[in-house]
């Protein structure tokens, strides 16, 4: 508890979601703070919009916060709608990223307001946003879309006290963000048993 100083995308966030093959639903931990924040702020539609924008598909997620689950359907515009469909591992990763992205975007919007008029005071002390490799199992076209959106958010925080730390092993994701922002980038390499963090040279 206490003031939130960091917001993280990592395996810990991914672990609150579990795919149920029998019922074809994605379950989530209802008690997790990020789920409560999404529910309280009414962010489910923002998550759905982000998911559909990145996937460029007709797949429609449906959140049930009482049961702690997300189901997926395809709206065909007629009576042939498909409900409770199985989604791919990449689509699951995109949904989880969309959850974080909706929260991140809301937090940045809140911090751009005067402190006394903010809709929530939870993030007044936010200093760090840490994102660890959010593009697992996602194809390259969608990785570019995610990286561009993230770069835009980082750019919008130029005049705030929020600092971003992004780690990835995916060269394309790294390069899109690096070239969009023109910030310093670092490469982690290993020399026998020693790891070295070196500043990137050039744009490759």
């Amino acid at each position: 508890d206490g003031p939130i100083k960091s917001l993280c995308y990592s395996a810990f966030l991914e672990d609150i979601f579990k795919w149920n093959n029998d019922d074809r639903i994605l379950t989530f931990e209802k008690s997790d703070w990020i789920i409560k924040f999404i529910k309280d702020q009414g962010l489910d539609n923002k998550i759905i919009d982000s998911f559909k924008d990145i996937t460029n598909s007709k797949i429609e997620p449906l959140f049930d916060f009482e049961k702690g689950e997300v189901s997926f359907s395809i709206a065909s515009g007629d009576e042939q709608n498909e409900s409770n469909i199985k989604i791919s591992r990449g689509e699951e990763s995109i949904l989880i990223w969309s959850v974080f992205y909706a929260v991140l975007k809301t937090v940045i919007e809140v911090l751009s307001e005067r402190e006394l008029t903010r809709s929530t005071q939870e993030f007044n002390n936010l200093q760090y946003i840490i994102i660890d490799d959010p593009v697992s199992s996602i194809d390259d076209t969608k990785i570019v879309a995610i990286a561009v959106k993230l770069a835009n958010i980082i750019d919008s925080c130029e005049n705030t006290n929020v600092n971003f730390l992004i780690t990835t092993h995916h060269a394309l994701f790294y390069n899109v963000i690096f070239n969009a922002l023109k910030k310093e980038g670092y490469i982690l390499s290993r020399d026998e048993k020693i790891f070295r963090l070196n500043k990137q040279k050039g744009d490759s």
Side-chain angles (χ1 to χ4, degrees):
D1 293 333
I4 295 175
K5 293 185 178 181
S6 62
L7 184 64
C8 301
Y9 181 99
S10 67
F12 291 105
L13 174 61
E14 293 172 348
D15 285 348
I16 72 172
F17 295 88
K18 295 284 188 297
W19 181 259
N20 180 330
N21 267 323
D22 293 333
D23 298 323
R24 295 185 179 181
I25 56 174
L26 188 66
T27 63
F28 54 81
E29 296 289 340
K30 296 186 292 183
S31 60
D32 193 272
W33 80 267
I34 202 166
I35 298 298
K36 291 179 178 178
F37 182 77
I38 289 164
K39 182 180 178 182
D40 292 344
Q41 296 289 319
L43 300 184
D44 45 323
N45 284 333
K46 287 187 177 181
I47 296 169
I48 293 167
D49 289 344
S50 175
F51 174 82
K52 293 174 73 174
D53 184 45
I54 295 170
T55 60
N56 193 27
S57 73
K58 294 182 179 179
I59 299 175
E60 186 90 27
L62 178 63
F63 283 80
D64 188 327
F65 292 103
E66 300 305 317
K67 294 181 179 179
E69 60 188 42
V70 188
S71 58
F72 300 86
S73 62
I74 296 179
S76 60
D78 53 30
E79 296 180 357
Q80 303 301 316
N81 291 354
E82 297 181 57
S83 300
N84 282 86
I85 65 168
K86 166 75 173 174
I87 61 170
S88 70
R89 182 67 182 87
E91 288 163 341
E92 182 182 333
S93 295
I94 290 171
L95 183 86
I96 297 171
W97 167 254
S98 295
V99 166
F100 181 82
Y101 179 77
V103 173
L104 173 60
K105 193 171 182 182
T106 300
V107 168
I108 298 305
E109 288 171 355
V110 166
L111 292 178
S112 68
E113 300 170 358
R114 292 176 59 250
E115 189 169 326
L116 292 177
T117 61
R118 291 173 182 170
S119 58
T120 175
Q121 305 297 316
E122 288 184 74
F123 302 99
N124 288 355
N125 296 296
L126 184 68
Q127 297 178 40
Y128 304 102
I129 294 171
I130 303 164
I131 299 171
D132 179 27
D133 227 356
V135 293
S136 174
S137 303
I138 300 174
D139 68 57
D140 287 354
T141 303
K142 297 175 179 62
I143 286 172
V144 171
I146 290 171
V148 168
K149 287 176 177 290
L150 179 56
N152 288 338
I153 281 194
I154 295 171
D155 195 46
S156 72
C157 295
E158 186 74 29
N159 298 317
T160 72
N161 294 322
V162 177
N163 301 283
F164 283 81
L165 173 63
I166 303 170
T167 61
T168 184
H169 70 277
H170 198 288
L172 176 62
F173 180 68
Y174 176 90
N175 266 331
V176 172
I177 291 177
F178 178 82
N179 286 304
L181 296 175
K182 301 299 182 185
K183 303 291 185 182
E184 288 185 345
Y186 295 85
I187 303 294
L188 183 67
S189 59
R190 187 170 71 176
D191 181 9
E192 294 183 352
K193 295 182 179 180
I194 300 174
F195 286 92
R196 302 184 188 279
L197 193 62
N198 300 309
K199 187 179 293 188
Q200 178 177 339
K201 297 178 180 179
D203 63 354
S204 63

